[in-house]
């Protein structure tokens, strides 16, 4: 084989660049995986084992629950553990409720943001929503959206949700043959599709009746795509090589999904403007924010509005369907709890002449206990995070350890599922027990060990 080409200047340049790249990667990985060892902080001592476990998770060989249980249980007496997470970021896994309170609430100014993998210009559908925004843009968007959740707005949305419930139940009553054996995840996904469509996008859909409507189909496509291993690889590429990802036009979701949601919001806004429709929902608030003028006011664009509507869909569609699935399962296998909840519902139906109002639902104490316990045992998010923006000193993780300095761009992780399943905080954690959240018992729950939606201003 003729290898003379290897001596050419171009080949030497390629080889040099390759060697420099490999050395750079090795240096970054070595720094990340041995960072906490050099700081005297409890860390996963076998960096190779940690590395392999992370990649098993990325490749779907280990579930995210098992991955975080492994991290959480490695040092059961430590307040926090130094780790290198799957994105090769220097991270701290917090285990102590008091520290969690400090980071999420008391020291919020030092940890105000979530980690983000993409910039605003790369993928506006994902990057411009209230979850991923940072700093003043996040505060501004949060203040814009907060009025959506006042009592009066919630009551209005309740009527919309109630209409979706009637459509859902009426379909099952009219089609008793489907009730002999029903795939609950699929059924509840159709219900949550209808709810998100009407409360976030301002359009009416009946997915039980119109089974192939585009809104539902696109929703299923989004969820399936978001859970593929390819999505994890994309996140890593966005994180490690943002310029490369942008230059090749890489996007989180297929263009058909992005264009669909953009078209829906555009058409909704146009119809409201042309017909003078005022509907006190999220789209209306965002339209009002778009029309604001003044110094220091960020001009709201269509991409901003689409991104907020999309994150409401993504966050509410699958998580709510999953919650209802688990609640239905637990009630099916715990007949006594099902009977007690049915009694409560029947009582309030009687008070409301066959209808459940917003006020009556708010009085259902056992319903609240069942939902709260479902969220404990099956939290919608396995973990959440905060990004450090200001140097911060953590107390010793264990007696005899050093204080740890968290630097800007370090990541703090909160293992929600692991806290919810720690027998120190919730005895017999695998047992479904709504009584944990009764009036007599709920004050016994240690603060910041129950975090189904996080805590603090980012809750």
């Amino acid at each position: 084989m003729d290898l003379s080409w290897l001596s050419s200047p171009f080949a030497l340049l390629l080889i040099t660049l390759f060697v420099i790249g490999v050395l750079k990667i090795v240096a970054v990985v070595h720094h990340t995986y041995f960072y906490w060892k050099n700081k005297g902080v409890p860390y996963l001592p076998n960096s190779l084992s940690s590395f392999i476990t992370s990649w098993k998770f990325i490749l779907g060989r280990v579930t995210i629950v098992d991955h975080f249980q492994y991290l959480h249980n490695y040092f059961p007496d430590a307040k926090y553990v130094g780790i290198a997470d799957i994105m090769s970021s220097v991270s701290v896994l917090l285990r102590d409720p008091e520290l969690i309170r400090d980071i999420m609430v008391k020291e919020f100014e030092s940890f105000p943001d979530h980690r983000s993998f993409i910039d605003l210009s790369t993928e506006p559908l994902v990057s411009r929503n209230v979850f991923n925004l940072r700093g003043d843009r996040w505060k501004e968007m949060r203040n814009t959206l907060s009025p959506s959740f006042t009592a009066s707005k919630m009551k209005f949305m309740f009527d919309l949700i109630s209409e979706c419930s009637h459509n859902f139940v009426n379909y099952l009553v009219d089609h008793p043959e489907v009730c002999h054996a029903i795939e609950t995840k699929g059924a509840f996904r159709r219900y949550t599709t209808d709810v998100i469509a009407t409360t976030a996008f301002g359009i009416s859909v009946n997915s039980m009746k119109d089974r192939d409507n585009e809104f539902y189909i696109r929703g299923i496509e989004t969820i399936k795509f978001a859970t593929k291993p390819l999505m994890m690889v994309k996140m890593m590429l966005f994180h490690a090589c943002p310029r490369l990802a942008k230059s090749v036009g890489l996007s989180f979701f297929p263009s058909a999904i992005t264009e669909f949601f953009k078209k829906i919001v555009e058409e909704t806004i146009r119809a409201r403007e042309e017909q003078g429709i005022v509907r006190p929902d999220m789209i209306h608030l965002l339209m009002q924010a778009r029309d604001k003028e003044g110094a220091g006011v960020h001009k709201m664009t269509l991409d901003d509005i689409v991104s907020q509507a999309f994150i409401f869909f993504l966050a509410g569609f699958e998580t709510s369907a999953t919650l209802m699935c688990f609640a239905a399962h637990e009630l099916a296998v715990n007949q006594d709890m099902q009977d007690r909840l049915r009694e409560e519902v029947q009582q309030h139906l009687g008070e409301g002449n066959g209808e459940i109002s917003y006020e009556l639902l708010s009085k259902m104490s056992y319903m609240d206990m069942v939902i709260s316990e479902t969220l404990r045992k099956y939290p919608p998010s396995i973990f959440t995070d905060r990004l450090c923006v200001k140097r911060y000193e953590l107390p010793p993780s264990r007696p005899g350890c050093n204080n740890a300095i968290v630097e800007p761009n370090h990541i703090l992780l909160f293992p929600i599922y692991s806290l919810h399943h720690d027998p120190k905080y919730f005895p017999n954690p695998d047992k479904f027990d709504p009584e944990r959240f009764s009036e007599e018992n709920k004050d016994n729950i240690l603060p910041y060990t129950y975090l189904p939606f996080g805590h603090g201003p980012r809750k």
Side-chain angles (χ1 to χ4, degrees), residues 392-410:
Y392 185 79
E393 185 172 353
L394 294 172
S397 178
R398 293 190 297 188
C401 289
N402 300 327
N403 287 10
I405 302 297
V406 181
E407 302 285 356
N409 292 323
H410 285 181

Side-chain angles (χ1 to χ4, degrees), residues 43-141:
Y43 76 109
L44 296 182
N46 188 341
S47 57
L48 179 61
S49 172
S50 175
F51 185 79
I52 291 172
T53 301
S54 295
W55 274 97
K56 281 184 177 179
F57 164 58
I58 292 170
L59 298 173
R61 308 300 295 177
V62 172
T63 69
I64 188 172
V65 168
D66 290 338
H67 180 66
F68 272 89
Q69 287 292 76
Y70 168 78
L71 298 176
H72 179 80
N73 295 331
Y74 204 96
F75 290 102
D77 60 337
K79 292 184 177 181
Y80 54 87
V81 179
I83 61 173
D85 72 4
I86 57 175
M87 297 297 173
S88 291
S89 300
V90 175
S91 306
V92 179
L93 184 81
L94 294 179
R95 303 181 70 260
D96 179 65
E98 289 187 14
L99 267 182
I100 292 172
R101 176 203 62 196
D102 290 347
I103 300 302
M104 284 188 163
V105 181
K106 293 178 66 177
E107 303 295 337
F108 178 75
E109 292 301 317
S110 296
F111 305 92
D113 300 323
H114 289 297
R115 170 175 42 182
S116 182
F117 302 103
I118 48 181
D119 62 38
L120 294 179
S121 61
T122 304
E123 178 68 280
L125 185 70
V126 177
S127 62
R128 296 192 180 202
N129 64 65
V130 70
F131 184 86
N132 284 322
L133 286 175
R134 297 180 178 182
D136 291 338
R137 283 291 292 115
W138 167 76
K139 290 179 182 177
E140 188 178 337
M141 187 61 72

Side-chain angles (χ1 to χ4, degrees), residues 4 6 37 227 338 360 386 459:
S4 59
L6 289 173
K37 177 183 179 181
T227 54
Q338 183 184 150
L360 287 174
R386 294 292 185 274
K459 184 176 180 177

Side-chain angles (χ1 to χ4, degrees), residues 162-179 191 206 208-209 355:
S162 185
E163 184 179 347
C164 295
S165 301
H166 282 298
N167 292 338
F168 181 79
V169 173
N170 289 340
Y171 182 86
L172 296 177
V173 171
D174 295 339
H175 299 80
E177 68 279 2
V178 306
C179 298
Y191 170 71
N206 188 339
M208 291 296 282
K209 189 175 181 180
E355 290 289 333

